Amino acid sequence: MAIQNLKHPKLKLKSMLLLVSSLYAGSVMALEPFQVKDIRVEGIQRTEAGTVFSHLPVKVGEIMDDDLASQAIKSLYGTGFFKDVRIEAENDVLIVTVQERAAIAQIDFSGNKSFPTDKMKEGLKQVGISESQIFDKSQLDRAEQEIKRQYLSQGKYGASVKTVVTPLERNRVAVRFDIEEGAVSKIRDINIVGNKAYSIDDLRAEFLLTTPNWMSWWNKDDQYSKQKLNADLETLRSFYMNKGYLEFNIDSTQVSITPDKKDIYITINITEGEKYTISEVKLAGETLVPEDELRQLIQVQAGETFSREKVTQTSKAISDRLSNDGYAFSNVNPVPEINKEQHTAAFTFFVDPGKRVYVRRINVVGNTRTRDEVIRREVRQLESAWYASNKIDRSKERIVRTDFFSDVNVETPAVPGTADQVDLNISVTEKSTGSVQFGAGLSSNEGVVFGITVNQNNFLGTGNRVSAQVNTGKVNTVYSLSYTDPYFTPDGVSRGIDVYRRDVNTSSLNIGTYNTSSYGGGVRFGIPLNERDGLNFGLSADFTKVELRANSPIQYQDFCGNTTGCTSNSVVASAGWVHDSRDSIMFTTKGVLQRLTGELALPVLDLEYYKIDYKHAWFKEVIPAYTLMLNGEIGYADSYGNKNYPFFKNFYMGGVNSVRGYDNGSLGPRTTDTLSGRDFALGGTKRLLANAELYLPIPGLKESKQFRMSAFIDAGNVFGPDESYDFGGLRYSTGLGLSWISPFGPLKLVFAKPLNSKSGDNTQAIQFQLGQQF
């Protein structure tokens, strides 16, 4: 650094002291104080002169001295824009000469196949490298390491990254990252040493990581990841601890890679220890809740094998029970007393309820379109009421089920300065709730189905639903318009209005031939009884024209009184009750669905009939990822007032959604067309259906939320007006099913075998449905 003074020479000693006092490279003159007549900036190419002026501690007309000159250099270096700064004085003019740091003009990548360029640039911004930013070699080194780390997370241990910096005009540079990704390193072996009670295959079956298999191209489970290995080690620990091995320990883990960085070998050394049983279970502390009630929540019992999972679940269950009464910060600590000689453990659950708290205020943020009241009406926790975790959880569940938001986050921070208050903060991220869907479906009984649906589930942010639908199929053609206000009244009574046009052509089905053309409309109301139960009522008018053909069954002709058709109009009152505690609609794992529905054609127009249906479906996860479903349904229908029951309101059975393995609608009473000799199914006025189904993950796709398979047994039939329910007349089938939430819509594929088909039954070994809800 040179020290210059073109006007005021000073002592060399003073110049050296000024040099030593500055911690930054630069140049400043040693000068007598003088009044600045002007300030001139030299050397800038990209930086605005105003930026330099704003960092100078002196203005025109003020006195300049050594201290201010030193401050000026430090301030300009502090901007990070300059790598050299010189300050000179000439004829009372302050001259600031700077040399700018290079700026990054462009960033390019070559060889990056796994990560798109735009994502790579976003990642570089996290380490301070982006176009138009000041070039910093140390940051460039960190960028190389970050890119390598991203490839290592994909298992590409042979990846290399080289950086090329090219100078450009106007003190700029171009940065290019040359990447050689290399091949993905595969896990060739996972070895477990020290296991005695369980085989290596049994233990490796619990792991996410595995050696290459036929589904590895999809799951990527043969690619090493430190995070996944840590998760597998914890899974291994939980496996043993839940089997009673209280002293289980993972002694060491070695991960080695071959010199060519293609193969990885993992070795895990463990000590199993002895198997422990529970000798005694006690409660202690301030329980507040009756002890008998808390003991019902304890999932471990004396004499049982120790299970860490059950101990943890017990602590959580007791804590959740206390939090329902306002004790939001309760602590339940299981303390073991271990007898190593007898290999037993006694547990005492110490309960500390903490202070009872209440919710001061409920805050909603993130809803730019949806009205506050639409969210708040779903909240079951009240302001100024005692904190209740079950109500808060239910509130979040109800907000999520509106399907108005892509993300719902609920927090309960403590109110500053208080020990007994929390706020309930609900943060939502809105998503598009309107859609126009054009689609096509394929069904083994309907053929190709084309449709268009226009939906707005959150009309103008009010939470009301508007839907218009057009679906055309070989059997059914439907045009409908509906409007639903889920909160027609403040206490949750819903109201819906529907209008429709429906045409049915049965000529392609294995049932009696007829056509109907219907139109109508109605109004419906839903009344919630509690969180899981509700009632519904409705009134509708239906106007139906029935067309018969020469080969239509005699029963149909008897209803119309001729062979050509008739008009059958009705006013129908409906009512129902539903109980739904399922955790999911598509892929249910637990819960119960009960539904009782009835409809009555009032004696004001042509039809006088009634129908009653009851359904009970029970779901239970018998072991993780395996769910058992038991379903039973019964229906009954008849006419009154000395009028015939309308045959087009009959129950039908058979097909992918009832008794699989039999043709759609083919079960029940039948008749033969005397002209063609064709055999028809007539349907019936009574129905019985039972299904037992075990849902299980597809091998290799255990973690997928899109695929599920099942093994099932079905039983069912329909019975005519002159028949009674007959268990001996039920048809049975068994088989396998596959469900897939595909990009084209839900797919259901069934491979079924009838077990007791009779002469005249129409059977199908393979049945499917695509593009329709099931």
Side-chain angles (χ1 to χ4, degrees):
M1 174 175 70
I3 300 178
Q4 303 183 30
N5 185 350
L6 304 182
K7 180 178 180 181
H8 304 284
K10 295 293 291 179
L11 295 175
K12 185 179 297 184
L13 178 60
K14 184 175 181 180
S15 300
M16 293 181 65
L17 289 174
L18 182 61
L19 172 63
V20 173
S21 67
S22 176
L23 299 177
Y24 300 88
S27 180
V28 60
M29 64 183 181
L31 44 80
E32 294 292 342
F34 71 97
Q35 187 177 28
V36 179
K37 293 182 179 180
D38 193 14
I39 300 175
R40 189 166 73 242
V41 179
E42 297 180 351
I44 57 175
Q45 300 182 54
R46 302 182 314 275
T47 309
E48 296 290 338
T51 301
V52 178
F53 291 144
S54 66
H55 286 81
L56 291 177
V58 66
K59 310 295 182 188
V60 174
E62 297 179 353
I63 301 301
M64 183 67 175
D65 57 20
D66 290 343
D67 291 336
L68 293 178
S70 179
Q71 292 178 27
I73 288 180
K74 292 180 180 180
S75 178
L76 290 173
Y77 269 116
T79 63
F81 298 155
F82 312 110
K83 64 180 180 181
D84 190 28
V85 178
R86 299 168 62 87
I87 292 183
E88 302 172 342
E90 182 178 2
N91 298 326
D92 294 333
V93 175
L94 186 64
I95 302 173
V96 182
T97 304
V98 299
Q99 183 178 352
E100 293 177 320
R101 291 182 181 272
I104 301 175
Q106 64 185 58
I107 300 175
D108 298 313
F109 297 88
S110 65
N112 55 308
K113 299 177 182 178
S114 299
F115 299 101
T117 296
D118 57 342
K119 297 297 183 182
M120 298 281 278
K121 288 185 176 181
E122 288 181 10
L124 290 181
K125 286 183 180 180
Q126 305 300 320
V127 295
I129 294 181
S130 62
E131 294 172 350
S132 77
Q133 293 292 321
I134 300 300
F135 174 72
D136 188 329
K137 182 65 170 61
S138 63
Q139 290 179 334
L140 196 64
D141 294 338
R142 290 200 301 271
E144 287 187 11
Q145 296 304 315
E146 175 62 22
I147 293 174
K148 288 181 180 179
R149 190 184 68 81
Q150 293 297 329
Y151 280 102
L152 289 179
S153 68
Q154 286 198 342
K156 296 183 177 181
Y157 289 87
S160 65
V161 181
K162 295 182 179 179
T163 307
V164 179
V165 180
T166 305
L168 301 176
E169 71 282 356
R170 296 176 55 210
N171 197 25
R172 299 178 302 158
V173 297
V175 179
R176 187 179 77 251
F177 294 92
D178 293 331
I179 301 172
E180 292 184 5
E181 294 185 341
V184 176
S185 303
K186 304 291 186 180
I187 299 173
R188 293 302 170 188
D189 186 38
I190 300 176
N191 188 30
I192 301 175
V193 179
N195 57 302
K196 299 177 182 179
Y198 301 96
S199 68
I200 291 181
D201 290 340
D202 290 338
L203 298 179
R204 285 193 295 208
E206 302 293 321
F207 283 20
L208 294 175
L209 295 177
T210 183
T211 52
N213 56 76
W214 70 281
M215 284 300 297
S216 292
W217 65 273
W218 175 273
N219 294 324
K220 311 297 183 185
D221 53 7
D222 60 346
Q223 299 179 10
Y224 172 76
S225 165
K226 184 177 180 180
Q227 292 78 11
K228 288 184 179 180
L229 178 59
N230 289 336
D232 284 341
L233 294 177
E234 184 56 34
T235 299
L236 180 63
R237 189 187 310 276
S238 297
F239 176 83
Y240 270 97
M241 296 286 276
N242 294 337
K243 300 293 186 181
Y245 294 87
L246 184 60
E247 297 177 317
F248 172 82
N249 185 55
I250 297 176
D251 301 321
S252 63
T253 304
Q254 294 90 36
V255 179
S256 58
I257 187 169
T258 56
D260 60 5
K261 297 184 178 181
K262 292 183 179 180
D263 299 327
I264 292 178
Y265 294 85
I266 300 174
T267 301
I268 304 170
N269 295 281
I270 66 173
T271 299
E272 291 183 336
E274 298 293 335
K275 198 171 187 177
Y276 278 73
T277 58
I278 304 294
S279 61
E280 187 180 10
V281 179
K282 297 184 291 185
L283 280 170
E286 190 178 2
T287 58
L288 296 179
V289 177
E291 185 172 332
D292 291 342
E293 184 176 347
L294 293 185
R295 285 200 169 274
Q296 293 179 4
L297 302 175
I298 297 177
Q299 301 186 24
V300 291
Q301 303 295 332
E304 291 183 352
T305 300
F306 164 76
S307 169
R308 184 177 69 172
E309 181 181 18
K310 290 185 177 181
V311 171
T312 302
Q313 290 175 349
T314 297
S315 297
K316 183 178 184 304
I318 296 175
S319 180
D320 288 346
R321 175 61 186 86
L322 292 172
S323 67
N324 291 342
D325 287 348
Y327 299 94
F329 306 114
S330 62
N331 181 37
V332 180
N333 186 26
V335 177
E337 296 179 17
I338 299 176
N339 186 326
K340 293 189 176 183
E341 295 179 357
Q342 298 182 5
H343 303 133
T344 61
F347 277 87
T348 301
F349 292 90
F350 285 91
V351 180
D352 178 15
K355 194 172 183 63
R356 196 178 190 190
V357 301
Y358 66 90
V359 175
R360 180 188 68 165
R361 185 177 297 120
I362 298 175
N363 304 308
V364 180
V365 296
N367 53 315
T368 57
R369 182 176 63 255
T370 305
R371 299 177 185 178
D372 258 22
E373 64 184 46
V374 174
I375 300 174
R376 290 182 179 273
R377 69 193 185 190
E378 303 296 339
V379 177
R380 294 300 177 257
Q381 171 70 56
L382 300 179
E383 290 181 339
S384 301
W386 292 118
Y387 177 101
S389 63
N390 57 342
K391 292 182 179 179
I392 292 175
D393 293 341
R394 180 59 178 163
S395 299
K396 180 178 180 180
E397 180 182 334
R398 289 181 65 90
I399 295 172
V400 170
R401 291 186 70 169
T402 63
D403 203 31
F404 301 160
F405 312 104
S406 60
D407 183 58
V408 178
N409 186 38
V410 175
E411 296 178 340
T412 54
V415 176
T418 69
D420 62 348
Q421 298 179 40
V422 297
D423 284 337
L424 177 59
N425 296 334
I426 302 173
S427 175
V428 300
T429 302
E430 291 189 310
K431 68 177 183 180
S432 176
T433 56
S435 64
V436 179
Q437 299 177 346
F438 298 88
L442 188 62
S443 171
S444 54
N445 63 282
E446 284 263 19
V448 178
V449 180
F450 296 97
I452 174 174
T453 302
V454 180
N455 285 316
Q456 177 49 265
N457 293 330
N458 188 13
F459 186 67
L460 299 178
T462 62
N464 298 336
R465 296 187 293 271
V466 178
S467 176
Q469 184 178 24
V470 176
N471 281 315
T472 62
K474 189 163 54 174
V475 177
N476 292 282
T477 301
V478 180
Y479 309 87
S480 66
L481 177 65
S482 66
Y483 171 83
T484 303
D485 181 356
Y487 280 83
F488 178 61
T489 65
D491 54 356
V493 175
S494 65
R495 182 191 66 179
I497 300 174
D498 306 287
V499 293
Y500 64 88
R501 166 68 185 270
R502 181 184 298 111
D503 295 328
V504 177
N505 184 338
T506 66
S507 59
S508 62
L509 299 178
N510 191 30
I511 65 176
T513 303
Y514 69 90
N515 293 344
T516 61
S517 179
S518 306
Y519 66 92
V523 62
R524 49 189 161 79
F525 295 91
I527 303 174
L529 300 177
N530 52 49
E531 290 298 311
R532 303 295 185 183
D533 298 82
L535 299 176
N536 55 77
F537 303 93
L539 186 66
S540 63
D542 179 87
F543 304 92
T544 299
K545 181 180 180 181
V546 181
E547 295 181 2
L548 301 179
R549 301 182 183 178
N551 61 344
S552 295
I554 189 64
Q555 291 88 341
Y556 299 177
Q557 298 177 13
D558 290 343
F559 173 81
C560 287
N562 57 63
T563 60
T564 59
C566 57
T567 299
S568 298
N569 303 325
S570 61
V571 174
V572 178
S574 61
W577 164 78
V578 62
H579 168 82
D580 191 353
S581 61
R582 295 175 297 171
D583 61 343
S584 172
I585 295 177
M586 291 298 296
F587 284 172
T588 309
T589 61
K590 61 181 179 180
V592 173
L593 172 64
Q594 294 184 75
R595 183 184 296 121
L596 176 64
T597 60
E599 63 179 72
L600 174 69
L602 302 178
V604 293
L605 294 178
D606 303 325
L607 300 182
E608 297 177 3
Y609 71 92
Y610 60 90
K611 294 180 72 173
I612 301 174
D613 255 314
Y614 176 70
K615 173 185 177 71
H616 188 125
W618 175 83
F619 298 84
K620 175 68 174 179
E621 190 173 42
V622 289
I623 57 175
Y626 289 75
T627 300
L628 176 64
M629 187 276 292
L630 300 177
N631 176 66
E633 300 179 31
I634 185 171
Y636 182 85
D638 202 353
S639 61
Y640 67 96
N642 297 321
K643 290 192 176 181
N644 291 329
Y645 182 81
F647 64 87
F648 49 87
K649 297 290 184 179
N650 275 349
F651 296 117
Y652 293 93
M653 192 167 294
V656 71
N657 292 310
S658 57
V659 183
R660 288 158 282 195
Y662 294 89
D663 197 2
N664 189 73
S666 66
L667 295 181
R670 308 180 68 86
T671 188
T672 302
D673 177 18
T674 56
L675 297 178
S676 64
R678 183 184 176 189
D679 191 40
F680 292 111
L682 295 173
T685 57
K686 305 174 187 67
R687 67 188 293 261
L688 282 175
L689 175 65
N691 312 98
E693 194 157 5
L694 179 65
Y695 297 103
L696 58 153
I698 296 178
L701 297 175
K702 186 176 181 180
E703 302 300 322
S704 175
K705 300 299 183 182
Q706 294 180 308
F707 297 88
R708 187 167 70 170
M709 64 183 299
S710 65
F712 62 84
I713 296 176
D714 296 335
N717 211 338
V718 295
F719 307 96
D722 300 328
E723 299 177 305
S724 59
Y725 292 105
D726 180 12
F727 290 98
L730 298 181
R731 297 293 191 271
Y732 297 88
S733 66
T734 187
L736 299 175
L738 172 67
S739 299
W740 176 32
I741 307 299
S742 76
F744 312 103
L747 168 68
K748 191 171 188 179
L749 181 64
V750 171
F751 301 88
K753 178 178 177 56
L755 298 177
N756 65 333
S757 59
K758 307 296 183 182
S759 176
D761 287 346
N762 299 99
T763 61
Q764 287 183 328
I766 300 176
Q767 297 172 312
F768 63 90
Q769 192 169 265
L770 171 64
Q772 297 179 0
Q773 198 72 9
F774 51 83

